[in-house]
């Protein structure tokens, strides 16, 4: 199953990336899918050290709001199939991480949060990519 099909299997209203409105909605749906999973994990894990609590909160906040700098370039870009596949792969990775949130332990949390940040950063880099489309 390709990444776009995977996204649609997990989020039945996932619109894809054809129009600007589709891209806005896709971004919102992916971020909210992850944000909800992170918030549930945060509640499940209970009290955490202050530094870890702050970091967790920052990542949940990142899931809650669009990265305007990264998204601006993506929103208006002409996308070819390869770029759509890369963006979809990054979004699918965030959904995969969302699904792992339910099982993450307090011990594993720092490494998990590192992975989430890396996935968000990779997604932002792809959205900002100036690679020419066909």
């Amino acid at each position: 199953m390709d990444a776009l099909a995977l996204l649609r299997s997990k989020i039945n209203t996932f619109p894809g990336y054809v129009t600007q409105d589709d891209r806005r909605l896709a971004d919102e749906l992916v971020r909210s899918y992850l944000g909800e999973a992170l918030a549930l994990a945060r509640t499940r894990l209970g009290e955490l050290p202050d530094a870890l609590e702050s970091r967790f909160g920052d990542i949940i906040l990142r899931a809650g709001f669009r990265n305007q700098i990264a998204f601006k370039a993506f929103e208006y870009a002409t996308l070819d199939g390869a770029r759509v596949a890369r963006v979809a792969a990054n979004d699918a990775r965030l959904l995969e991480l969302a699904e792992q949130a339910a099982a993450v332990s307090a011990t594993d949390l720092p490494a998990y949060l590192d992975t989430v940040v890396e996935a968000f950063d990779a997604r932002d880099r792809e959205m900002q990519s100036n690679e020419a489309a066909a």
Side-chain angles (χ1 to χ4, degrees):
M1 175 180 313
D2 71 7
L4 196 54
L6 178 71
L7 289 163
R8 288 185 170 133
S9 75
K10 294 183 183 295
I11 302 173
N12 64 1
T13 58
F14 190 82
Y17 310 99
V18 175
T19 69
Q20 292 170 8
D21 287 339
D22 290 346
R23 293 173 200 182
R24 287 184 204 109
L25 182 56
D27 174 67
E28 182 179 330
L29 291 169
V30 168
R31 286 183 298 97
S32 67
Y33 192 99
L34 177 60
E36 289 175 25
L38 292 172
L40 289 172
R42 173 62 208 93
T43 300
R44 177 182 56 79
L45 289 169
E47 190 171 328
L48 297 168
D50 288 345
L52 194 53
E53 179 72 41
S54 176
R55 189 161 175 240
F56 210 158
D58 289 346
I59 294 169
I60 290 172
L61 190 62
R62 187 172 181 182
F65 294 94
R66 176 177 295 137
N67 178 336
Q68 294 294 335
I69 295 168
F71 193 76
K72 182 179 179 182
F74 175 67
E75 183 176 25
Y76 300 107
T78 300
L79 304 181
D80 63 7
R83 182 138 180 232
V84 167
R86 291 190 306 271
V87 170
N90 285 320
D91 284 351
R93 177 69 176 134
L94 288 176
L95 268 54
E96 175 186 315
L97 290 168
E99 292 171 355
Q100 293 172 11
V104 73
S105 68
T107 303
D108 295 332
L109 185 60
Y112 172 77
L113 294 178
D114 286 344
T115 304
V116 172
V117 168
E118 290 166 6
F120 262 129
D121 290 348
R123 181 178 193 253
D124 289 350
R125 279 191 305 273
E126 184 56 48
M127 284 184 175
Q128 288 177 290
S129 171
N130 290 327
E131 186 172 315

